[in-house]
Amino acid sequence: MIENPIIEAHNLTVLYGRKPALWNVDFSLPRGKVIGIMGPNGSGKSTLLKAIMGVATPTSGYTKVYDRELDEVREKISYVPQRQDIDWDFPASVWDVVSMGRFQKRGLFKKLTSEDKDIIAESLEKVNMLGYSKRQISQLSGGQQQRVFLARALAQQGDLFLMDEPFAGVDISTEEMIISLLKEMKDAGKTLVIVHHDLHTAQSYFDWLVLLNTRLVAAGPVSEVFNDQVLTDTYGGKLTTISKISQELENKEFPIRHK
Amino acid sequence: MNDFYIIFTASLVAINCALMGSFLVMRKMVMLGDAISHAVLPGIFIAYFLSGSTGSLPILIGAAFSGIIATLIIEWFTKRARLQSDAAIGVSYTLLFAIGIILISKFGQNADLDQQCVLYGEIEYISLWLKPVFGLFELPKQTIILLSVCIILIAAVVWGYKGLFITTFDPNFALSTGIAVGFWHYFLMSGVSLTTVVSFESVGAILVIAFLSGPPAIAYLLVEDFKKMLILACAIGILCSALGYYAAKWLDVSVAGSISTVIGLVFVFVFVAVNLLKSKRDVISA
Ligand SMILES: Nc1ncnc2c1ncn2[C@@H]1O[C@H](COP(=O)(O)OP(=O)(O)OP(=O)(O)O)[C@@H](O)[C@H]1O
Ligand SMILES: [Mg+2]
């Protein structure tokens, strides 16, 4: 067990209709770390983040953040949904989207203050998107859309960041930019929970891993859980060894999805 | 003066519908608006039956609850009975609409309602019921009610803009920040019910649906900002009302039918024009 965990899940089960998306998942996560959540498509990664944020309702079991009721600590959590969760053809500008990150602190019925506007601009600056603030979101590339989502989460100014596939569909330079931003955030004491697909980079990006396949396969420090046995259990028989994974990755395109 | 009354009244319906319809279009819920506009019929009948022909605003607001009940029934079918949502919508609104039609055909005389009026409205005869306003000027009774609702809806959209916007754009994110997404859903549905209840007598159910979906869809093709979309949808609705009215006068056909047709034609025109411009731009930039 981890002392003073930031997130814990106890016997967490989420059903959609009769179909389980998560089955009896138990783990706790340490503070101040970069934590990866990995597993094949449909393994319940997004559902896990949604359950933590109260967006999906557990059928049984529960999650806790900072050992409190969710409503007491919501303001400390920033959330980046999966990019294809929303309609990017919506008539909204980059600025409109990022300013939503301030609605929680300011409430829905007060005007955003100049302090809010500074925070929004700063968040956009951090992801190199300030120059695009008037742009309609449909006119952004996938990587730019991802950065807008990140900026909105930054504008929430949480201590805990839950990010659903922030690297999906971004090119290498954007990925590097995001990674250095994440390092900065970690150094500032933030805890980052990141849904990720690329096994190549898992070891270098994360301190801690949660491997899911509807059930929890393993959770722990990367050095302990990133091994052949666990990866086989997570991804099934198709990938048998880490070396074979790298080979397969070179041969066929890995599921980085576009729009 | 008659021309003015008719165009003004149709424009008020257009504005009310554009304000609600823009949110429905972006939520991909126009079908639900469509369902509500039919499902309120029993509520309307009860309202008129209780008050005779003088459908007053408080009674109509009461009738708008039948729209909310319809939404609840549809949600119940979808969530509890695990019916696909389009099937749930289809089943519940046809049922409620049919009950309304039966009530009206059986007891309609007592309430001064008939099926004709429900489907097509009677905007042509609107100026038969003039009422003084503050002793200053006269407006048709229907128009006064529509104007009051228009003011209520504008106030509601201004007051609730951020809540409606964020829950339309990204409901999951809104939920994650603790926003009561359900409240905003029913807030909007109340507005849609109220709009359809007060609009049907003047323009009928068919034009209400055309106004709810057409002008917002046209505006969506033309602008990149949601606030502009709201305003442009209102403007397009007003324009179509005027064009439709004069077309009807010229061709001597139903006003509601003519306005619906104009909305459809404008949509096709704008859709083709926007796509032609786009492909031209692509050719040039390529
Ligand atoms: N709203 C929903 N209604 C019904 N089923 C759902 C819903 N959301 C997810 N599911 C199902 O639950 C399972 C887990 O989905 P989830 O989105 O959590 O997977 P994921 O690991 O995030 O997948 P991906 O890698 O594709 O993003 C899937 O089988 C999915 O089809
Ligand atoms: Mg997912």
Side-chain angles (χ1 to χ4, degrees):
Chain A
M1 273 316 271
I2 298 160
E3 267 177 54
N4 204 6
I6 193 161
I7 299 176
E8 30 188 329
H10 294 280
N11 303 320
L12 179 68
T13 295
V14 180
L15 303 178
Y16 288 113
R18 289 205 188 84
K19 198 168 153 284
L22 286 173
W23 189 261
N24 211 10
V25 170
D26 252 291
F27 62 79
S28 41
L29 302 176
R31 299 189 186 210
K33 302 272 189 241
V34 183
I35 300 155
I37 300 197
M38 302 188 74
N41 292 135
S43 57
K45 305 178 296 294
S46 300
T47 305
L48 177 61
L49 295 197
K50 286 179 185 166
I52 295 170
M53 293 308 297
V55 176
T57 320
T59 313
S60 67
Y62 62 93
T63 58
K64 266 191 167 178
V65 183
Y66 292 108
D67 203 24
R68 291 278 179 77
E69 286 300 313
L70 181 59
D71 280 327
E72 296 173 44
V73 292
R74 266 189 214 277
E75 294 210 359
K76 291 188 181 176
I77 319 173
S78 297
Y79 175 47
V80 182
Q82 201 162 337
R83 184 156 56 92
Q84 46 274 74
D85 249 29
I86 68 150
D87 173 12
W88 287 93
D89 286 327
F90 203 95
S93 68
V94 167
W95 184 273
D96 289 338
V97 175
V98 178
S99 57
M100 285 174 200
R102 302 303 303 162
F103 284 8
Q104 189 173 16
K105 299 248 160 44
R106 205 53 62 201
L108 290 175
F109 304 108
K110 291 210 191 84
K111 279 209 150 155
L112 295 182
T113 62
S114 61
E115 188 202 343
D116 291 320
K117 286 176 187 158
D118 291 346
I119 293 170
I120 296 166
E122 217 172 275
S123 309
L124 280 167
E125 180 71 65
K126 277 191 187 147
V127 297
N128 274 331
M129 287 294 290
L130 191 53
Y132 293 84
S133 56
K134 292 218 176 81
R135 184 80 68 99
Q136 194 203 349
I137 53 172
S138 66
Q139 295 164 7
L140 300 173
S141 70
Q144 290 169 333
Q145 291 174 346
Q146 201 73 70
R147 283 187 273 161
V148 170
F149 255 21
L150 207 55
R152 180 174 70 176
L154 291 172
Q156 290 185 282
Q157 297 190 313
D159 293 327
L160 166 62
F161 283 74
L162 304 180
M163 310 185 200
D164 205 339
E165 302 199 26
F167 300 115
V170 307
D171 62 16
I172 297 196
S173 72
T174 306
E175 179 150 346
E176 279 170 358
M177 191 220 87
I178 296 176
I179 275 297
S180 73
L181 182 65
L182 298 183
K183 287 228 169 75
E184 235 173 76
M185 289 159 70
K186 185 195 170 187
D187 292 342
K190 315 276 186 197
T191 307
L192 312 171
V193 177
I194 300 166
V195 174
H196 192 56
H197 264 299
D198 184 5
L199 288 167
H200 260 127
T201 47
Q203 272 174 302
S204 58
Y205 287 179
F206 302 122
D207 307 317
W208 199 276
L209 271 182
V210 174
L211 289 136
L212 278 180
N213 196 341
T214 311
R215 296 160 191 271
L216 181 71
V217 179
V222 173
S223 56
E224 285 172 29
V225 299
F226 198 80
N227 58 50
D228 286 357
Q229 188 54 50
V230 167
L231 292 177
T232 311
D233 290 350
T234 310
Y235 290 92
K238 275 186 288 174
L239 311 167
T240 35
T241 61
I242 293 179
S243 53
K244 202 169 164 200
I245 286 165
S246 0
Q247 214 180 348
E248 286 222 3
L249 283 171
E250 273 162 33
N251 294 344
K252 74 167 188 208
E253 220 176 303
F254 203 72
I256 284 178
R257 280 158 308 155
H258 302 276
K259 222 164 146 171
Chain B
M1 211 50 198
N2 198 31
D3 289 3
F4 169 78
Y5 286 146
I6 293 175
I7 293 174
F8 184 62
T9 307
S11 300
L12 285 170
V13 177
I15 292 171
N16 295 346
C17 289
L19 290 175
M20 296 296 105
S22 296
F23 288 102
L24 290 178
V25 166
M26 294 321 299
R27 284 172 181 241
K28 305 187 172 60
M29 273 176 15
V30 178
M31 270 304 285
L32 196 53
D34 187 353
I36 288 176
S37 66
H38 284 83
V40 290
L41 199 52
I44 288 169
F45 173 78
I46 292 167
Y48 276 75
F49 194 72
L50 292 178
S51 68
S53 63
T54 56
S56 66
L57 188 59
I59 286 186
L60 290 176
I61 289 178
F65 272 105
S66 56
I68 299 299
I69 293 169
T71 340
L72 286 170
I73 295 176
I74 291 166
E75 251 150 56
W76 187 86
F77 272 136
T78 329
K79 289 222 174 91
R80 298 269 164 262
R82 307 250 164 78
L83 211 57
Q84 273 169 309
S85 72
D86 52 353
I89 290 174
V91 169
S92 6
Y93 93 80
T94 43
L95 178 67
L96 288 164
F97 189 62
I99 292 174
I101 288 285
I102 289 172
L103 287 172
I104 287 171
S105 58
K106 185 85 181 145
F107 307 107
Q109 308 88 307
N110 310 25
D112 203 14
L113 271 181
D114 59 38
Q115 289 126 290
Q116 185 74 16
C117 152
V118 167
L119 286 177
Y120 306 109
E122 39 189 30
I123 198 164
E124 287 89 345
Y125 311 113
I126 196 130
S127 44
L128 292 181
W129 297 278
L130 288 182
K131 274 193 160 183
V133 182
F134 305 125
L136 291 174
F137 49 90
E138 287 189 317
L139 280 177
K141 191 194 81 193
Q142 273 299 306
T143 315
I144 297 171
I145 293 176
L146 285 165
L147 186 59
S148 325
V149 169
C150 186
I151 292 164
I152 294 174
L153 289 183
I154 290 172
V157 168
V158 170
W159 175 79
Y161 184 77
K162 275 191 191 169
L164 288 170
F165 184 73
I166 192 172
T167 55
T168 302
F169 176 72
D170 192 349
N172 283 346
F173 179 78
L175 257 182
S176 84
T177 66
I179 290 171
V181 174
F183 166 80
W184 293 104
H185 174 72
Y186 287 107
F187 185 72
L188 180 64
M189 289 309 143
S190 312
V192 173
S193 303
L194 185 59
T195 302
T196 54
V197 165
V198 299
S199 305
F200 97 98
E201 192 186 5
S202 35
V203 301
I206 293 171
L207 185 53
V208 170
I209 298 159
F211 270 141
L212 274 177
S213 52
I218 298 164
Y220 172 73
L221 294 173
L222 294 171
V223 294
E224 299 175 347
D225 177 291
F226 189 70
K227 279 183 186 160
K228 286 184 194 148
M229 176 173 155
L230 279 173
I231 294 166
L232 186 63
C234 293
I236 290 169
I238 295 170
L239 185 77
C240 292
S241 303
L243 279 176
Y245 174 67
Y246 286 114
K249 216 174 153 181
W250 179 49
L251 297 169
D252 193 24
V253 293
S254 136
V255 173
S258 165
I259 297 176
S260 303
T261 311
V262 168
I263 294 173
L265 291 176
V266 171
F267 179 82
V268 171
F269 174 77
V270 170
F271 183 80
V272 170
V274 165
N275 280 296
L276 278 182
L277 278 179
K278 228 186 239 157
S279 54
K280 209 173 193 180
R281 215 182 303 145
D282 290 347
V283 169
I284 291 168
S285 64

